[in-house]
Short mmCIF file of all heavy atoms in Angstrom, two decimals:
data_model
loop_
_atom_site.label_atom_id
_atom_site.label_comp_id
_atom_site.label_asym_id
_atom_site.label_seq_id
_atom_site.Cartn_x
_atom_site.Cartn_y
_atom_site.Cartn_z
N ASN L 129 34.57 -128.24 108.57
CA ASN L 129 34.37 -127.09 107.71
C ASN L 129 33.82 -125.88 108.43
O ASN L 129 33.35 -124.96 107.79
CB ASN L 129 33.41 -127.44 106.56
CG ASN L 129 34.02 -128.49 105.67
OD1 ASN L 129 35.24 -128.58 105.58
ND2 ASN L 129 33.18 -129.30 105.06
N SER L 130 33.75 -125.89 109.75
CA SER L 130 33.14 -124.74 110.40
C SER L 130 34.08 -124.15 111.44
O SER L 130 35.15 -124.68 111.72
CB SER L 130 31.81 -125.15 111.05
OG SER L 130 32.03 -126.24 111.89
N GLN L 131 33.63 -123.06 112.03
CA GLN L 131 34.46 -122.30 112.96
C GLN L 131 33.74 -122.09 114.28
O GLN L 131 32.53 -122.25 114.37
CB GLN L 131 34.78 -120.92 112.35
CG GLN L 131 35.63 -120.96 111.11
CD GLN L 131 36.98 -121.60 111.35
OE1 GLN L 131 37.58 -121.39 112.40
NE2 GLN L 131 37.46 -122.40 110.40
N GLY L 132 34.52 -121.68 115.27
CA GLY L 132 33.95 -121.21 116.53
C GLY L 132 33.15 -122.27 117.27
O GLY L 132 33.51 -123.44 117.27
N TRP L 133 32.05 -121.82 117.88
CA TRP L 133 31.27 -122.73 118.73
C TRP L 133 30.69 -123.86 117.91
O TRP L 133 30.51 -124.97 118.38
CB TRP L 133 30.16 -121.96 119.43
CG TRP L 133 29.14 -121.37 118.49
CD1 TRP L 133 29.16 -120.13 117.95
CD2 TRP L 133 27.98 -122.04 117.97
NE1 TRP L 133 28.10 -119.95 117.12
CE2 TRP L 133 27.34 -121.11 117.12
CE3 TRP L 133 27.42 -123.30 118.14
CZ2 TRP L 133 26.18 -121.42 116.42
CZ3 TRP L 133 26.26 -123.60 117.46
CH2 TRP L 133 25.65 -122.68 116.60
N LYS L 134 30.39 -123.60 116.66
CA LYS L 134 29.82 -124.63 115.81
C LYS L 134 30.82 -125.76 115.63
O LYS L 134 30.47 -126.95 115.73
CB LYS L 134 29.47 -124.01 114.45
CG LYS L 134 28.49 -124.84 113.67
CD LYS L 134 28.03 -124.12 112.43
CE LYS L 134 27.21 -125.05 111.55
NZ LYS L 134 27.05 -124.51 110.19
N LYS L 135 32.07 -125.37 115.43
CA LYS L 135 33.11 -126.39 115.29
C LYS L 135 33.19 -127.22 116.56
O LYS L 135 33.27 -128.44 116.53
CB LYS L 135 34.45 -125.70 115.02
CG LYS L 135 35.57 -126.68 114.68
CD LYS L 135 36.86 -125.90 114.42
CE LYS L 135 37.99 -126.85 114.09
NZ LYS L 135 37.86 -127.41 112.74
N LEU L 136 33.13 -126.51 117.67
CA LEU L 136 33.23 -127.20 118.97
C LEU L 136 32.08 -128.18 119.14
O LEU L 136 32.27 -129.34 119.51
CB LEU L 136 33.21 -126.16 120.08
CG LEU L 136 33.69 -126.66 121.43
CD1 LEU L 136 35.16 -127.00 121.37
CD2 LEU L 136 33.41 -125.64 122.52
N LEU L 137 30.89 -127.70 118.83
CA LEU L 137 29.70 -128.56 118.98
C LEU L 137 29.84 -129.83 118.15
O LEU L 137 29.69 -130.95 118.65
CB LEU L 137 28.45 -127.78 118.55
CG LEU L 137 27.18 -128.62 118.46
CD1 LEU L 137 26.70 -129.04 119.83
CD2 LEU L 137 26.08 -127.87 117.73
N TYR L 138 30.19 -129.63 116.88
CA TYR L 138 30.23 -130.81 116.00
C TYR L 138 31.44 -131.69 116.31
O TYR L 138 31.36 -132.91 116.20
CB TYR L 138 30.20 -130.38 114.54
CG TYR L 138 28.81 -130.00 114.11
CD1 TYR L 138 28.38 -128.68 114.16
CD2 TYR L 138 27.92 -130.97 113.68
CE1 TYR L 138 27.10 -128.34 113.80
CE2 TYR L 138 26.62 -130.64 113.32
CZ TYR L 138 26.21 -129.32 113.39
OH TYR L 138 24.93 -128.99 113.04
N SER L 139 32.54 -131.06 116.73
CA SER L 139 33.68 -131.89 117.12
C SER L 139 33.30 -132.73 118.32
O SER L 139 33.66 -133.90 118.43
CB SER L 139 34.88 -131.02 117.47
OG SER L 139 35.13 -130.12 116.43
N GLY L 140 32.59 -132.10 119.25
CA GLY L 140 32.12 -132.84 120.42
C GLY L 140 31.24 -134.00 120.00
O GLY L 140 31.41 -135.13 120.45
N LEU L 141 30.32 -133.71 119.09
CA LEU L 141 29.43 -134.78 118.61
C LEU L 141 30.22 -135.88 117.91
O LEU L 141 29.85 -137.05 117.97
CB LEU L 141 28.39 -134.20 117.66
CG LEU L 141 27.24 -133.42 118.29
CD1 LEU L 141 26.33 -132.86 117.20
CD2 LEU L 141 26.46 -134.31 119.23
N ALA L 142 31.32 -135.50 117.26
CA ALA L 142 32.15 -136.50 116.59
C ALA L 142 33.08 -137.18 117.58
O ALA L 142 33.87 -138.04 117.19
CB ALA L 142 32.94 -135.84 115.48
N LEU L 143 33.03 -136.79 118.83
CA LEU L 143 33.92 -137.29 119.89
C LEU L 143 35.38 -137.06 119.51
O LEU L 143 36.25 -137.86 119.84
CB LEU L 143 33.66 -138.77 120.17
CG LEU L 143 32.26 -139.12 120.66
CD1 LEU L 143 32.15 -140.61 120.92
CD2 LEU L 143 31.91 -138.36 121.93
N PHE L 144 35.63 -135.98 118.81
CA PHE L 144 36.98 -135.56 118.42
C PHE L 144 37.73 -136.66 117.66
O PHE L 144 38.93 -136.77 117.75
CB PHE L 144 37.79 -135.12 119.64
CG PHE L 144 37.11 -134.02 120.39
CD1 PHE L 144 36.36 -134.28 121.53
CD2 PHE L 144 37.18 -132.71 119.92
CE1 PHE L 144 35.71 -133.27 122.21
CE2 PHE L 144 36.53 -131.69 120.60
CZ PHE L 144 35.79 -131.96 121.74
N SER L 145 36.98 -137.43 116.92
CA SER L 145 37.63 -138.45 116.11
C SER L 145 37.08 -138.28 114.70
O SER L 145 35.87 -138.35 114.50
CB SER L 145 37.29 -139.83 116.67
OG SER L 145 37.62 -140.81 115.74
N TYR L 146 37.99 -138.03 113.75
CA TYR L 146 37.49 -137.54 112.46
C TYR L 146 37.72 -138.52 111.32
O TYR L 146 37.86 -138.13 110.19
CB TYR L 146 38.16 -136.20 112.13
CG TYR L 146 38.01 -135.19 113.26
CD1 TYR L 146 39.05 -134.96 114.15
CD2 TYR L 146 36.82 -134.48 113.40
CE1 TYR L 146 38.90 -134.05 115.18
CE2 TYR L 146 36.67 -133.57 114.42
CZ TYR L 146 37.71 -133.36 115.31
OH TYR L 146 37.57 -132.45 116.31
N ASP L 147 37.81 -139.79 111.63
CA ASP L 147 38.10 -140.76 110.59
C ASP L 147 36.85 -141.06 109.77
O ASP L 147 35.92 -141.71 110.23
CB ASP L 147 38.63 -142.05 111.24
CG ASP L 147 38.98 -143.08 110.20
OD1 ASP L 147 38.92 -142.74 109.00
OD2 ASP L 147 39.31 -144.21 110.59
N ILE L 148 36.81 -140.54 108.52
CA ILE L 148 35.67 -140.89 107.67
C ILE L 148 36.18 -141.52 106.37
O ILE L 148 35.65 -141.27 105.29
CB ILE L 148 34.76 -139.70 107.37
CG1 ILE L 148 35.58 -138.47 106.99
CG2 ILE L 148 33.84 -139.40 108.52
CD1 ILE L 148 34.70 -137.37 106.43
N SER L 149 37.18 -142.33 106.52
CA SER L 149 37.67 -143.05 105.35
C SER L 149 36.60 -144.05 104.92
O SER L 149 35.71 -144.41 105.69
CB SER L 149 38.96 -143.79 105.69
OG SER L 149 38.68 -144.72 106.71
N GLU L 150 36.73 -144.48 103.69
CA GLU L 150 35.80 -145.46 103.13
C GLU L 150 35.63 -146.64 104.08
O GLU L 150 34.53 -147.09 104.36
CB GLU L 150 36.39 -145.94 101.79
CG GLU L 150 35.42 -146.69 100.91
CD GLU L 150 34.60 -145.74 100.05
OE1 GLU L 150 34.90 -144.52 100.02
OE2 GLU L 150 33.64 -146.20 99.46
N LYS L 151 36.77 -147.11 104.63
CA LYS L 151 36.75 -148.30 105.46
C LYS L 151 35.98 -148.03 106.76
O LYS L 151 35.12 -148.82 107.18
CB LYS L 151 38.20 -148.71 105.77
CG LYS L 151 38.31 -150.00 106.55
CD LYS L 151 39.76 -150.44 106.64
CE LYS L 151 39.97 -151.34 107.85
NZ LYS L 151 40.17 -150.58 109.08
N ALA L 152 36.28 -146.89 107.36
CA ALA L 152 35.62 -146.55 108.63
C ALA L 152 34.12 -146.46 108.44
O ALA L 152 33.33 -146.98 109.25
CB ALA L 152 36.16 -145.22 109.14
N LEU L 153 33.70 -145.82 107.34
CA LEU L 153 32.27 -145.68 107.11
C LEU L 153 31.62 -147.03 106.87
O LEU L 153 30.49 -147.27 107.29
CB LEU L 153 32.03 -144.74 105.93
CG LEU L 153 32.37 -143.30 106.21
CD1 LEU L 153 32.12 -142.44 104.98
CD2 LEU L 153 31.56 -142.76 107.39
N HIS L 154 32.37 -147.88 106.21
CA HIS L 154 31.82 -149.21 105.96
C HIS L 154 31.61 -149.96 107.28
O HIS L 154 30.57 -150.60 107.48
CB HIS L 154 32.78 -149.98 105.05
CG HIS L 154 32.25 -151.32 104.67
ND1 HIS L 154 31.14 -151.48 103.86
CD2 HIS L 154 32.68 -152.57 104.99
CE1 HIS L 154 30.90 -152.76 103.71
NE2 HIS L 154 31.82 -153.46 104.39
N GLU L 155 32.61 -149.84 108.17
CA GLU L 155 32.48 -150.47 109.50
C GLU L 155 31.24 -149.91 110.23
O GLU L 155 30.45 -150.65 110.81
CB GLU L 155 33.73 -150.19 110.34
CG GLU L 155 34.98 -150.88 109.85
CD GLU L 155 34.94 -152.36 110.19
OE1 GLU L 155 34.57 -152.70 111.32
OE2 GLU L 155 35.27 -153.17 109.28
N ASP L 156 31.12 -148.59 110.17
CA ASP L 156 29.97 -147.93 110.81
C ASP L 156 28.67 -148.51 110.29
O ASP L 156 27.75 -148.80 111.04
CB ASP L 156 29.99 -146.43 110.50
CG ASP L 156 30.94 -145.69 111.39
OD1 ASP L 156 31.61 -146.37 112.20
OD2 ASP L 156 31.01 -144.47 111.29
N GLU L 157 28.64 -148.67 108.97
CA GLU L 157 27.41 -149.14 108.35
C GLU L 157 27.06 -150.52 108.85
O GLU L 157 25.90 -150.81 109.18
CB GLU L 157 27.61 -149.14 106.84
CG GLU L 157 26.35 -149.40 106.06
CD GLU L 157 26.69 -149.70 104.61
OE1 GLU L 157 27.74 -149.20 104.12
OE2 GLU L 157 25.93 -150.44 103.98
N LYS L 158 28.09 -151.37 108.95
CA LYS L 158 27.83 -152.73 109.42
C LYS L 158 27.30 -152.72 110.86
O LYS L 158 26.35 -153.41 111.20
CB LYS L 158 29.12 -153.58 109.35
CG LYS L 158 29.38 -154.13 107.95
CD LYS L 158 30.26 -155.37 107.97
CE LYS L 158 31.57 -155.16 108.67
NZ LYS L 158 32.62 -156.12 108.31
N LEU L 159 27.96 -151.89 111.66
CA LEU L 159 27.54 -151.80 113.06
C LEU L 159 26.11 -151.26 113.16
O LEU L 159 25.29 -151.75 113.96
CB LEU L 159 28.51 -150.91 113.83
CG LEU L 159 28.30 -150.87 115.33
CD1 LEU L 159 28.51 -152.24 115.93
CD2 LEU L 159 29.22 -149.86 115.97
N ALA L 160 25.83 -150.25 112.32
CA ALA L 160 24.49 -149.65 112.36
C ALA L 160 23.43 -150.70 112.05
O ALA L 160 22.37 -150.74 112.66
CB ALA L 160 24.39 -148.50 111.37
N LYS L 161 23.76 -151.58 111.12
CA LYS L 161 22.80 -152.61 110.77
C LYS L 161 22.58 -153.55 111.95
O LYS L 161 21.45 -153.91 112.28
CB LYS L 161 23.28 -153.37 109.54
CG LYS L 161 22.28 -154.40 109.10
CD LYS L 161 22.55 -154.93 107.72
CE LYS L 161 21.48 -155.98 107.40
NZ LYS L 161 21.63 -156.54 106.08
N LYS L 162 23.71 -153.93 112.59
CA LYS L 162 23.58 -154.81 113.76
C LYS L 162 22.72 -154.15 114.83
O LYS L 162 21.85 -154.78 115.43
CB LYS L 162 24.97 -155.11 114.34
CG LYS L 162 25.69 -156.21 113.60
CD LYS L 162 27.00 -156.53 114.28
CE LYS L 162 27.96 -157.21 113.32
NZ LYS L 162 29.36 -156.85 113.57
N LEU L 163 23.00 -152.86 115.04
CA LEU L 163 22.22 -152.15 116.06
C LEU L 163 20.74 -152.13 115.71
O LEU L 163 19.88 -152.33 116.57
CB LEU L 163 22.72 -150.70 116.16
CG LEU L 163 23.87 -150.47 117.12
CD1 LEU L 163 24.28 -149.01 117.04
CD2 LEU L 163 23.44 -150.80 118.54
N ALA L 164 20.48 -151.92 114.42
CA ALA L 164 19.07 -151.88 114.01
C ALA L 164 18.43 -153.23 114.24
O ALA L 164 17.25 -153.32 114.61
CB ALA L 164 18.96 -151.48 112.55
N ILE L 165 19.23 -154.30 114.05
CA ILE L 165 18.67 -155.63 114.29
C ILE L 165 18.34 -155.81 115.77
O ILE L 165 17.30 -156.35 116.14
CB ILE L 165 19.66 -156.72 113.80
CG1 ILE L 165 19.77 -156.64 112.28
CG2 ILE L 165 19.18 -158.10 114.22
CD1 ILE L 165 20.79 -157.57 111.70
N ILE L 166 19.23 -155.30 116.62
CA ILE L 166 18.90 -155.32 118.06
C ILE L 166 17.72 -154.40 118.33
O ILE L 166 16.89 -154.65 119.19
CB ILE L 166 20.10 -154.84 118.91
CG1 ILE L 166 21.33 -155.69 118.61
CG2 ILE L 166 19.76 -154.89 120.38
CD1 ILE L 166 22.57 -155.16 119.30
N GLY L 167 17.70 -153.29 117.57
CA GLY L 167 16.69 -152.26 117.82
C GLY L 167 15.27 -152.73 117.61
O GLY L 167 14.38 -152.35 118.37
N ILE L 168 15.07 -153.58 116.62
CA ILE L 168 13.68 -154.00 116.34
C ILE L 168 13.08 -154.74 117.52
O ILE L 168 12.04 -154.34 118.03
CB ILE L 168 13.61 -154.86 115.06
CG1 ILE L 168 14.02 -154.01 113.87
CG2 ILE L 168 12.20 -155.39 114.85
CD1 ILE L 168 14.07 -154.79 112.59
N PRO L 169 13.76 -155.81 118.00
CA PRO L 169 13.14 -156.47 119.17
C PRO L 169 13.04 -155.55 120.37
O PRO L 169 12.07 -155.63 121.12
CB PRO L 169 14.06 -157.65 119.46
CG PRO L 169 15.28 -157.42 118.68
CD PRO L 169 14.94 -156.54 117.54
N SER L 170 14.02 -154.63 120.53
CA SER L 170 13.89 -153.80 121.73
C SER L 170 12.78 -152.77 121.56
O SER L 170 12.13 -152.42 122.55
CB SER L 170 15.22 -153.16 122.14
OG SER L 170 15.80 -152.51 121.07
N ALA L 171 12.55 -152.32 120.32
CA ALA L 171 11.40 -151.43 120.11
C ALA L 171 10.11 -152.20 120.38
O ALA L 171 9.21 -151.72 121.06
CB ALA L 171 11.39 -150.89 118.69
N ALA L 172 10.08 -153.43 119.86
CA ALA L 172 8.90 -154.26 120.08
C ALA L 172 8.72 -154.51 121.57
O ALA L 172 7.62 -154.50 122.10
CB ALA L 172 9.03 -155.57 119.33
N PHE L 173 9.85 -154.72 122.25
CA PHE L 173 9.79 -155.00 123.67
C PHE L 173 9.33 -153.77 124.44
O PHE L 173 8.46 -153.85 125.29
CB PHE L 173 11.17 -155.44 124.14
CG PHE L 173 11.14 -156.18 125.43
CD1 PHE L 173 10.48 -157.39 125.52
CD2 PHE L 173 11.76 -155.68 126.56
CE1 PHE L 173 10.43 -158.08 126.71
CE2 PHE L 173 11.72 -156.37 127.75
CZ PHE L 173 11.05 -157.57 127.82
#
Side-chain angles (χ1 to χ4, degrees):
Chain L
N129 296 333
S130 54
Q131 294 300 322
W133 64 268
K134 199 173 172 195
K135 187 180 180 74
L136 196 66
L137 171 70
Y138 283 93
S139 308
L141 284 178
L143 299 181
F144 303 99
S145 166
Y146 307 100
D147 181 7
I148 46 168
S149 61
E150 194 86 8
K151 184 172 156 277
L153 290 179
H154 184 67
E155 291 286 315
D156 279 3
E157 189 193 332
K158 278 204 305 201
L159 187 62
K161 183 166 179 179
K162 278 184 201 146
L163 273 177
I165 293 175
I166 304 174
I168 296 176
S170 51
F173 199 63

